[in-house]
Amino acid sequence: MEIEQITIVGQGNVGTHLYKALISVSYDVDIINSRSLYNIRNNSELYILAVSDDSIDDVASKLSSVNGIIVHTSGSKSIDVLSKYSTKCGVFYPLQTFTKNVELNYSEIPFFIEGSDLEVVCALKKVANKISKLVYDADSERRKRLHVASVFACNYVNHMWTIADEILKNDGLSINVLYPLIEETINKIHKITPYESQTGPAVRQDMSVIESHLNFLSDNDDTYNIYKTLSNSIINKHK
Amino acid sequence: MEIEQITIVGQGNVGTHLYKALISVSYDVDIINSRSLYNIRNNSELYILAVSDDSIDDVASKLSSVNGIIVHTSGSKSIDVLSKYSTKCGVFYPLQTFTKNVELNYSEIPFFIEGSDLEVVCALKKVANKISKLVYDADSERRKRLHVASVFACNYVNHMWTIADEILKNDGLSINVLYPLIEETINKIHKITPYESQTGPAVRQDMSVIESHLNFLSDNDDTYNIYKTLSNSIINKHK
């Protein structure tokens, strides 16, 4: 099965970046909004549904006129949401944080592939390999694990930086002053495990520092709770 | 006041790295354990107490025989803990995550300086400037703010990676598979603010994904609570 023409449904962060990645390796790609399905090209060999998890079922149900492989890009949804509509289906999950106007090096995006049969898996891997050097198998269980892990490693990490930025802005500073610290935090986990890298008042069980920080944060419930929950978790994990 | 000889008290992560940094720029430095104070060189122009917050007072009280400037390196302690023992005192706070056997580029460490008078401030800045190109003033209030921010930006970020690593290890994977995601997460905050960079199920208020992740984590109380606390905080901040 040779894939030459690809249709992407969904023009959000994931769809937009997949479009750029796929045209950069010379596929014939069109990208449409899920509201324009009546107008969909029906001779693509691959349909990529880059829509919200809750829309996948609805969009798939409207693709009865097409013959190509249908895949979604979700970390959380099973392949089953597609198999009731299509015998050739799969998952094409790019493990990356996509923001529309931020450029990306696509060759470094890990792709996790699942398919309804071996032929589909091979066809999808061939597409992923043209974009990226990091292509893996993942069934729904592994994909969920990866998705949960990436929420911690990316989304929650970014939220920590949002909070740090806010704390510093109240003093005329910004997250910029922490860049060397942040760079070193990431450098260390390339050399030793994050468990071994842990520093700070919680892992030292320095309760007087923790108390003074909690006092400092006491006028912001969410930030106070985060500090308390995370320092307790560090203490528990390292005691 | 020209500083040529420096004594570091404390052989932990901070003391060890400051020692390496200071000898690399040709200071005459000795480093001793706080239990060896009876043996301290008394002609240093600068004494750096790189000891735990709770030991600073005790160590400073034992330095009545020395004439040099006495500083501590703590993000949380006021300069006052030293000024009762010494008229020439200050704070020499390196905002970095130090792990003993992990090499560092010292020129990229921001130093935050406070001194009992202008002469002390100038002398300390001169030392810091020899090590690093990033030297700033910070009174105790700013230093505390920086310290709290760095707990979020570094210590808690690292804990997020520890959790991600554990989740993946249960599937024979490790944090390595998330490196491209982590690198991109950090790249983005150099281009747009962390607030603007936020992605993931919480900022999309995708409650079905959040529920499914909480189910997945339900056998680990700490991790479950962290997921819940952080996704609520993201929802509140971005709604």
Side-chain angles (χ1 to χ4, degrees):
Chain A
M1 190 181 332
E2 195 64 42
I3 292 174
E4 289 170 359
Q5 299 185 82
I6 300 173
T7 293
I8 297 170
V9 182
Q11 297 174 314
N13 291 330
V14 175
T16 310
H17 275 289
L18 282 181
Y19 176 76
K20 285 192 205 169
L22 289 165
I23 57 170
S24 77
V25 291
S26 304
Y27 282 106
D28 170 5
V29 194
D30 68 344
I31 178 166
I32 62 167
N33 193 293
S34 61
R35 289 183 298 276
S36 312
L37 288 177
Y38 58 88
N39 212 4
I40 200 164
R41 179 164 88 173
N42 63 9
N43 60 341
S44 286
E45 291 89 18
L46 174 62
Y47 294 83
I48 300 177
L49 312 190
V51 298
S52 70
D53 283 13
D54 292 340
S55 311
I56 294 171
D57 193 313
D58 182 52
V59 171
S61 74
K62 292 175 180 156
L63 297 182
S64 53
S65 68
V66 308
N67 287 310
I69 301 169
I70 301 176
V71 299
H72 69 64
T73 60
S74 163
S76 303
K77 284 284 178 181
S78 160
I79 191 174
D80 301 340
V81 65
L82 300 176
S83 52
K84 51 184 168 173
Y85 302 113
S86 168
T87 53
K88 297 270 176 203
C89 61
V91 183
F92 196 80
Y93 175 48
L95 185 62
Q96 189 47 280
T97 169
F98 297 99
T99 299
K100 254 186 185 174
N101 298 315
V102 178
E103 296 298 321
L104 268 177
N105 175 4
Y106 299 114
S107 71
E108 294 283 350
I109 299 177
F111 280 90
F112 291 87
I113 304 296
E114 184 176 7
S116 51
D117 60 49
L118 199 60
E119 199 189 356
V120 170
V121 170
C122 289
L124 294 176
K125 280 190 172 171
K126 208 163 160 185
V127 174
N129 274 317
K130 282 215 182 160
I131 302 176
S132 169
K133 50 191 180 191
L134 306 166
V135 178
Y136 308 92
D137 291 290
D139 60 13
S140 295
E141 189 51 40
R142 168 169 282 189
R143 209 167 53 245
K144 177 180 267 190
R145 205 176 278 283
L146 284 162
H147 193 211
V148 176
S150 75
V151 168
F152 283 94
C154 162
N155 305 150
Y156 290 170
V157 161
N158 186 73
H159 190 52
M160 297 298 103
W161 292 334
T162 304
I163 292 171
D165 195 33
E166 274 185 6
I167 292 170
L168 294 172
K169 275 185 175 146
N170 289 333
D171 196 23
L173 297 167
S174 86
I175 191 86
N176 297 29
V177 78
L178 299 182
Y179 283 164
L181 178 67
I182 290 170
E183 292 292 343
E184 181 57 19
T185 306
I186 203 169
N187 283 343
K188 282 209 297 193
I189 67 160
H190 285 81
K191 298 172 187 163
I192 55 180
T193 68
Y195 183 86
E196 296 166 320
S197 302
Q198 190 65 54
T199 57
V203 72
R204 293 196 307 270
Q205 298 202 37
D206 191 336
M207 302 317 286
S208 68
V209 172
I210 292 171
E211 279 307 313
S212 108
H213 287 181
L214 285 171
N215 268 334
F216 177 82
L217 297 170
S218 58
D219 58 349
N220 185 320
D221 283 353
D222 277 354
T223 310
Y224 179 95
N225 286 334
I226 291 171
Y227 194 102
K228 200 157 188 170
T229 307
L230 292 179
S231 62
N232 282 339
S233 172
I234 292 173
I235 290 169
N236 288 337
K237 206 175 278 304
H238 289 264
K239 76 184 168 194
Chain B
M1 191 180 333
E2 194 64 42
I3 292 173
E4 287 171 0
Q5 298 184 84
I6 300 174
T7 294
I8 297 170
V9 181
Q11 297 175 313
N13 291 331
V14 175
T16 311
H17 275 289
L18 282 181
Y19 176 76
K20 284 192 206 168
L22 290 165
I23 58 170
S24 77
V25 292
S26 304
Y27 282 106
D28 171 5
V29 194
D30 68 343
I31 179 166
I32 62 168
N33 194 292
S34 60
R35 288 183 299 276
S36 313
L37 288 176
Y38 58 87
N39 212 3
I40 200 165
R41 180 165 88 174
N42 64 9
N43 60 341
S44 286
E45 291 90 18
L46 174 61
Y47 293 82
I48 301 178
L49 312 190
V51 298
S52 72
D53 283 13
D54 292 339
S55 312
I56 295 171
D57 194 313
D58 181 51
V59 171
S61 74
K62 292 175 178 156
L63 297 182
S64 51
S65 66
V66 308
N67 286 310
I69 302 170
I70 301 176
V71 300
H72 69 63
T73 59
S74 163
S76 302
K77 284 284 178 179
S78 161
I79 191 175
D80 301 338
V81 64
L82 300 176
S83 51
K84 51 184 169 174
Y85 302 113
S86 167
T87 53
K88 297 272 177 205
C89 62
V91 183
F92 195 79
Y93 175 48
L95 186 63
Q96 189 49 279
T97 169
F98 297 99
T99 300
K100 254 186 184 172
N101 298 314
V102 178
E103 297 298 322
L104 268 177
N105 175 4
Y106 299 114
S107 71
E108 294 283 349
I109 300 177
F111 280 90
F112 291 88
I113 304 296
E114 183 176 7
S116 50
D117 61 47
L118 199 60
E119 199 188 357
V120 170
V121 170
C122 289
L124 294 176
K125 280 191 172 172
K126 209 164 158 184
V127 174
N129 273 317
K130 282 215 182 161
I131 303 175
S132 170
K133 51 192 180 190
L134 305 167
V135 179
Y136 307 92
D137 291 290
D139 60 14
S140 296
E141 189 51 40
R142 168 169 283 189
R143 208 166 56 247
K144 176 180 267 189
R145 205 175 277 284
L146 285 161
H147 193 210
V148 176
S150 74
V151 168
F152 283 94
C154 162
N155 305 149
Y156 290 169
V157 161
N158 186 73
H159 190 53
M160 296 300 102
W161 291 334
T162 303
I163 292 170
D165 194 34
E166 274 185 6
I167 292 169
L168 294 171
K169 276 185 174 144
N170 289 333
D171 196 23
L173 298 168
S174 86
I175 190 86
N176 297 30
V177 79
L178 300 182
Y179 284 163
L181 178 66
I182 290 171
E183 291 292 343
E184 181 56 19
T185 306
I186 203 168
N187 283 343
K188 281 208 300 193
I189 67 159
H190 285 80
K191 297 172 188 164
I192 55 180
T193 67
Y195 182 86
E196 294 166 321
S197 302
Q198 190 65 54
T199 57
V203 72
R204 293 195 308 270
Q205 299 201 37
D206 191 334
M207 302 317 284
S208 68
V209 171
I210 292 171
E211 280 306 315
S212 108
H213 286 181
L214 284 171
N215 268 335
F216 177 82
L217 298 170
S218 59
D219 57 351
N220 184 320
D221 283 353
D222 277 354
T223 310
Y224 180 95
N225 285 334
I226 291 171
Y227 193 102
K228 200 157 189 171
T229 307
L230 291 179
S231 63
N232 283 339
S233 172
I234 291 173
I235 290 169
N236 288 337
K237 206 175 278 305
H238 289 265
K239 75 185 167 193

